[in-house]
Amino acid sequence: MPTKKTIKFNHEKFGEITLNTTEKGEPLYDRETTLGILSKGIDYLYNKGLLTLSEKEKVENQLQDCNIELVDDLGSLCSLNYVYNKLTGSAKLTMLYIDENSKYLDKESMITGLLDQLCDAIVTVLCNEVNLKDAEKEFKVKGKEWEKYAVTLLPEEEIISTHFRNEATEYLTKGITEDRIEKLKEIYEYNGYDDGEWIDYFLTDYIEVVMSDLPESDDEKSLTPEEYVDDQIYIYEDDRRMERENQ
């Protein structure tokens, strides 16, 4: 039987992590490697007192029972699928998808992506009331429960970017008018995105802009989602006006 190829990666918080590799030496986020990384995260949270033994075992059991599949062009590093009980809010983790191209990503970013999903899985598996609230909304927002685990596992930059993502998501669900929603759809459709894709691309674009210009003092404020939408609509309408004038 051929010897399995592995590499060692020294993680800032967990220490040494063993990753399986392809024949070319690229990281292979198969079931063994992925569960190994997630188990490190669960143990770390348990040792920090953020999970009880029963909570730790519940999350571990669901991860062990779920399917893990590598997918071409997933659209994100990884994503989780659940089955929900609509009456109680209880959730069962059924599938963890990982993008096939993850082997080309730097190891730190990929591990951070998996730990981000772990925080989401913990909240979803343990917090039935959160699932019931999420079911009432069009978009899922990572809230205080997610942050409780994320601040321990994830880099500060990831926490900040998720904070801005939550703000933008809340704006789309509660603060924006219907006519501005339609205008955003028009903008993204003009730029070649399908109707069902525009929300994810809007959130990604907003986070990239706001993270590239973080305030250097408490007196400065970050660009709000509303201000960003104003800018995008102004740029779009100004470009269309120039196009008409040049025809």
Side-chain angles (χ1 to χ4, degrees), residues 62-77:
Q62 289 227 17
L63 286 170
Q64 287 290 341
D65 290 343
C66 86
N67 294 315
I68 297 176
E69 183 177 333
L70 289 167
V71 179
D72 285 330
D73 299 322
L74 180 60
S76 60
L77 297 181

Side-chain angles (χ1 to χ4, degrees), residues 79-90:
S79 66
L80 295 166
N81 274 15
Y82 305 91
V83 174
Y84 295 94
N85 183 313
K86 295 181 180 179
L87 294 178
T88 65
S90 63

Side-chain angles (χ1 to χ4, degrees), residues 41-42 65 85 122 139 156 158 189 196-197 213 219 234:
I42 293 170
D65 290 343
N85 183 313
I122 291 171
F139 311 105
E156 183 180 12
E158 190 73 18
E189 183 179 347
E197 298 178 324
D213 189 26
D219 296 330
Y234 175 83

Side-chain angles (χ1 to χ4, degrees), residues 85-230:
N85 183 313
K86 295 181 180 179
L87 294 178
T88 65
S90 63
K92 180 171 179 57
L93 177 60
T94 59
M95 182 70 76
L96 170 57
Y97 294 106
I98 299 175
D99 195 305
E100 187 79 50
N101 293 321
S102 58
K103 61 188 176 184
Y104 302 118
L105 195 68
D106 69 89
K107 303 175 192 68
E108 187 74 44
S109 296
M110 187 59 204
I111 291 171
T112 295
L114 287 170
L115 295 176
D116 184 336
Q117 291 296 306
L118 173 62
C119 295
D120 185 83
I122 291 171
V123 173
T124 305
V125 169
L126 299 182
C127 303
N128 294 356
E129 67 281 4
V130 173
N131 299 332
L132 288 173
K133 289 179 181 177
D134 284 340
E136 300 171 358
K137 298 178 294 194
E138 187 177 353
F139 311 105
K140 186 172 183 179
V141 177
K142 293 180 178 179
K144 296 292 184 184
E145 294 83 4
W146 179 86
E147 289 183 8
K148 180 172 73 173
Y149 306 110
V151 294
T152 301
L153 289 182
L154 305 183
E156 183 180 12
E157 182 177 330
E158 190 73 18
I159 308 299
I160 295 172
S161 68
T162 300
H163 167 76
F164 287 123
R165 185 182 184 87
N166 288 346
E167 282 196 346
T169 304
E170 289 280 9
Y171 174 66
L172 289 179
T173 56
K174 298 178 180 178
I176 194 170
T177 60
E178 189 61 35
D179 62 317
R180 292 166 75 77
I181 284 283
E182 292 303 316
K183 181 60 70 173
L184 281 175
K185 289 181 180 178
E186 180 183 329
I187 291 171
Y188 279 89
E189 183 179 347
Y190 178 83
N191 288 313
Y193 298 106
D194 294 336
D195 183 49
E197 298 178 324
W198 76 270
I199 294 171
D200 285 338
Y201 284 102
F202 167 80
L203 294 172
T204 299
D205 292 343
Y206 170 67
I207 292 167
E208 286 181 356
V209 168
V210 76
M211 290 294 290
S212 68
D213 189 26
L214 291 173
E216 296 183 359
S217 71
D218 293 338
D219 296 330
E220 300 177 18
K221 301 294 183 183
S222 294
L223 186 72
T224 67
E226 183 174 12
E227 291 168 339
Y228 178 73
V229 170
D230 286 342

